Amino acid sequence: MTKDEALLAYTLRLGDNALILGQRLIELVAAGPELEEELANANFALDFIGQARMFYSYAGEIEGKGRCEDDFAFLRDDREFANFLLVEQPNGHFGDVIVRQVLFDSFYGLQLEALTKCKDKRLAEIAVRAGKEICYHLRHTSQWLVRLGDGTAESHARATEALGRLWRYAGEMFAGDEVDIILQSAFDGPDLETIEAQWSLKVAAILDDATLAIPDEKWIIGGGRQGHHSESMGFLVAEMQFLQRAYAGATW
Amino acid sequence: MQNKEWALYEVFIRTRAGLSHRHAGSLHAADDQMALDYARDTYTRRSEGVSLWVVRSDQIVASDPAESAAFFEPAEDKIYRHPTFYEIPDGVENL
Amino acid sequence: MYTQGLDQQGKPEGKRDAPESAADLEAFQKRIDAEEKIEAKDWMPAAYRRTLVRQISQHAHSEIIGMQPEGNWLTRAPTLKRKAILLAKVQDEAGHGLYLYGAAETLGVSRDQMVADLLSGKAKYSTIFNYPTLTWADIGTIGWLVDGAAIMNQIPLCRCSYGPYARAMVRICKEESFHQRQGFDIMLVLCRGSGEQKAMAQDALDRWWWPSLMMFGPHDSESKHSAKSMAWKIKRFSNDELRQKFVDATVPQAEFLGLKMPDDDLRYDKKSGHYRFGEIDWQEFHDVIAGNGPCNRQRLEQRTRAQDDGAWVREAACAHAAKHAAKAA
């Protein structure tokens, strides 16, 4: 794998994580627990969609074959998406959503922070912008996790159950492959071992505040980067791509 | 358990440095941090502010409109507090 | 997005108000006539308060329910740019609902009570949101027609005599200025696109045109509360005036798009300078108001589900805040 191929794959993965998670958050519109949270959720979704657009546009430039953001979003099959399994997990209840966001945002924030120092100038620039957004998301979602964990008996039980369900998907974020290795060696990209250590501390502190125990779960499910997704992913992609697929070549 | 409504907060925004905070509207939140987050998400979506205040509505002490005559009218006849009260003879400058 | 079509739906005043002195009423009307703004804590006739609570809460409900038909296409928006624009618009609607509930709360009614009235079917919202969004062109049509109709009504509301409502409307109008344009832009691209796309646009216009005209409410002659609302400067134009204004503004836009209005009686009247249009199907209007539109039940069910699903979350936040406060004390 060449340096450029690795950079392209890495940038697409960033775009895929942002888009798929944004799409999941969009499914929550008009279903929030309170009107104010409706606005917060839409802000988060807008941030993710905006980030996906920046990553995809840049990926198109790296690739140099004239593909634009919409080609990556709407004209690839689900097997070609390389997002983590964690971000594609169906929304479930509000506790599931918050746990998913906290586990991912804690990782993604650290990843972006490391990327601001990478040698690829464009990626570093996008990381600066996206990093500020994710910093705010994590503030909001981690506060919510604390409220749920340290709220009522019911909310504590629901948060615990959500954590148990989603924990197995977190490990995939730290299992680097060739793309991560090249990005680190050739571009001074993120060091996943360092990030994992920082992530563990950060998440442990949030869970501690939330009076929630770290799940005793050793089993890790991966495969997102190879396009081995959950069954639900196919439906997400089919729904998202419907118009572009049904009216091939149309302008919208 | 009876579902309790979240408290009402008033939101004040400083639109840019050098200006005072101004009342923008209200929202509901369960605690102060949440109120601040929601003020950001609700009232600064179009870069309307550089600083936010939130305060629980029930913490505001307000004057009573029924007493507004006693409160505000006595100031109306103290016109000597305004510079326009004074006549300056022609030829006097920088005053 | 809202129009005044619902102002007339209030039940006849059943409750007897505390006696109000003629002097107070006269002084109040004098303030209104002098274009003074009425503020939350000022004295006001009970009927003025009731009218405002009804109108502002219906307006708020319309924004909140209005998120659903457009939200229906968020996950299927055809490009990332369109997805972001539509999401920002639907988010604005949540925000506008929030501002409006806030304005109504200054009159002494809680948001919980207003939401309960919506979910029980006691309070109404704009009939237009009880129609389904079947294709992407419906999203364009809603922006173009429904937001266009709403603007006709909302701009005068910025001068409404009740201060908190007027201020909320100023903010809302400012934010909504892009809503109609994005809708027209969707239509423009469809009409310049393939034959299939243009047919999609025409089909959407055929379905949404008449419901859009109904948004302005019954004819002035049928309008119950209008005179009082006009005298109180809550309302500045009559239903038929605004409807005519909307038709005059919209017909040339349809011509520009190359679309045909689904009204065989539509013609330009040179003498008056207005477009004359056919009669609205008032039976359909009353059916939808009575709860028998294509989506009435679905809209309320979704709102109820969100409210119920969120109960444990709202409770948890209260419980956490209470614990926290107890620890700090």
Side-chain angles (χ1 to χ4, degrees), chain A residues 13-249:
Chain A
R13 289 174 180 184
L14 286 164
D16 291 347
N17 278 336
L19 177 62
I20 300 304
L21 189 52
Q23 183 76 1
R24 281 291 183 222
L25 292 179
I26 280 174
E27 294 172 3
L28 294 166
V29 169
E34 188 53 281
L35 200 41
E36 282 79 0
E37 186 61 23
E38 201 59 74
L39 281 130
N41 177 66
N43 271 346
F44 299 160
L46 280 170
D47 286 342
F48 282 122
I49 300 301
Q51 291 168 16
R53 295 180 67 188
M54 290 191 284
F55 287 127
Y56 285 154
S57 297
Y58 183 41
E61 289 173 40
I62 300 170
E63 190 187 45
K65 290 183 185 162
R67 284 208 276 183
C68 69
E69 56 182 48
D70 290 331
D71 294 326
F72 290 115
F74 297 100
L75 298 176
R76 284 183 304 153
D77 288 339
D78 46 330
R79 290 279 282 107
E80 296 172 80
F81 279 83
N83 54 280
F84 296 133
L85 298 184
L86 177 62
V87 300
E88 76 199 28
Q89 291 311 305
N91 289 321
H93 59 61
F94 186 74
D96 293 317
V97 173
I98 289 297
V99 167
R100 183 185 64 201
Q101 301 308 113
V102 167
L103 296 182
F104 177 69
D105 286 345
S106 314
F107 165 83
Y108 187 34
L110 292 165
Q111 181 188 27
L112 290 169
E113 196 188 317
L115 281 172
T116 61
K117 296 174 204 117
C118 84
K119 273 193 202 149
D120 186 77
K121 217 177 125 234
R122 289 288 303 284
L123 209 50
E125 281 168 6
I126 301 175
V128 169
R129 259 182 79 175
K132 288 177 195 157
E133 293 169 349
I134 298 308
C135 177
Y136 178 78
H137 293 203
L138 184 59
R139 169 195 149 97
H140 185 84
T141 53
S142 61
Q143 280 176 8
W144 258 118
L145 188 54
V146 172
R147 289 185 194 106
L148 297 182
D150 190 20
T152 61
E154 181 185 5
S155 68
H156 183 86
R158 282 179 183 262
T160 304
E161 161 216 323
L163 204 54
R165 188 159 42 232
L166 292 165
W167 192 260
R168 76 195 71 159
Y169 298 107
E172 186 189 11
M173 301 191 291
F174 312 108
D177 61 6
E178 197 188 352
V179 172
D180 294 284
I181 293 168
I182 297 177
L183 211 84
Q184 193 190 345
S185 59
F187 296 95
D188 280 346
D191 169 19
L192 283 174
E193 262 179 51
T194 312
I195 288 190
E196 183 171 13
Q198 292 171 318
W199 181 89
S200 300
L201 285 175
K202 194 176 256 205
V203 170
I206 297 169
L207 292 185
D208 187 50
D209 272 356
T211 69
L212 292 167
I214 295 174
D216 184 27
E217 171 74 81
K218 299 285 178 282
W219 170 234
I220 292 175
I221 304 180
R225 282 164 172 169
Q226 292 77 45
H228 298 156
H229 293 284
S230 323
E231 288 182 342
S232 62
M233 176 75 172
F235 293 94
L236 180 152
V237 170
E239 184 175 340
M240 180 171 73
Q241 298 183 339
F242 156 66
L243 282 171
Q244 290 264 2
R245 298 289 198 175
Y247 301 87

Side-chain angles (χ1 to χ4, degrees), chain C residues 244-319:
Chain C
Q244 184 63 55
K245 235 172 118 175
F246 172 71
V247 171
D248 289 342
T250 312
V251 172
Q253 292 165 357
E255 280 167 12
F256 182 88
L257 292 171
L259 296 176
K260 188 184 169 302
M261 289 295 191
D263 179 358
D264 291 335
D265 296 325
L266 187 76
R267 62 183 170 78
Y268 184 68
D269 176 38
K270 244 188 183 156
K271 221 164 98 195
S272 63
H274 293 299
Y275 285 91
R276 298 295 166 214
F277 51 96
E279 194 51 46
I280 290 167
D281 179 353
W282 293 110
Q283 188 55 47
E284 177 180 330
F285 174 74
H286 291 296
D287 284 347
V288 179
I289 287 225
N292 296 322
C295 298
N296 295 56
R297 287 164 207 200
Q298 176 191 331
R299 300 284 186 247
L300 280 186
E301 276 162 16
Q302 182 173 341
R303 201 59 246 146
T304 306
R305 199 160 47 237
Q307 190 71 8
D308 292 349
D309 288 351
W312 69 273
V313 177
R314 295 189 300 274
E315 236 166 64
C318 285

Side-chain angles (χ1 to χ4, degrees), chain C residues 10-191:
Chain C
K11 298 258 157 37
E13 322 297 348
K15 212 177 71 192
R16 193 173 280 268
D17 300 318
E20 289 165 344
S21 80
D24 279 347
L25 289 170
E26 196 185 323
F28 180 79
Q29 191 60 47
K30 251 194 187 141
R31 292 189 64 192
I32 298 272
D33 293 342
E35 296 286 338
E36 263 186 57
K37 294 287 180 212
I38 308 302
E39 293 295 342
K41 297 234 161 77
D42 293 352
W43 185 87
M44 61 186 85
Y48 177 82
R49 184 184 299 274
R50 253 199 326 271
T51 301
L52 279 170
V53 167
R54 187 181 59 234
Q55 178 170 335
I56 301 173
S57 63
Q58 283 173 353
H59 194 165
H61 299 329
S62 300
E63 298 282 353
I64 299 308
I65 297 292
M67 295 169 70
Q68 291 183 35
E70 287 175 289
N72 185 36
W73 278 88
L74 273 172
T75 55
R76 292 176 288 173
T79 68
L80 293 181
K81 188 177 108 186
R82 292 281 183 212
K83 194 188 281 287
I85 293 172
L86 184 60
L87 179 53
K89 178 175 191 282
V90 174
Q91 182 192 40
D92 275 349
E93 281 150 20
H96 299 168
L98 195 156
Y99 305 157
L100 289 162
Y101 282 129
E105 283 177 282
T106 63
L107 292 159
V109 54
S110 74
R111 194 203 284 179
D112 271 1
Q113 184 57 53
M114 291 185 269
V115 171
D117 287 348
L118 169 68
L119 298 183
S120 73
K122 192 176 154 209
K124 302 291 180 194
Y125 55 88
S126 191
T127 50
I128 194 80
F129 303 118
N130 291 316
Y131 292 87
T133 48
L134 302 180
T135 71
W136 173 249
D138 291 34
I139 301 307
T141 312
I142 288 184
W144 172 38
L145 297 183
V146 176
D147 285 281
I151 288 169
M152 294 286 166
N153 182 59
Q154 293 190 150
I155 300 235
L157 280 174
C158 295
R159 293 186 295 130
C160 161
S161 60
Y162 187 57
Y165 192 20
R167 289 193 290 276
M169 288 316 304
V170 168
R171 184 174 279 273
I172 288 170
C173 286
K174 220 155 88 189
E175 296 187 352
E176 277 199 0
S177 51
F178 90 86
H179 291 187
Q180 192 190 13
R181 286 185 187 184
Q182 66 87 35
F184 189 78
D185 187 57
I186 290 175
M187 296 306 275
L188 195 58
V189 172
L190 289 176
C191 290

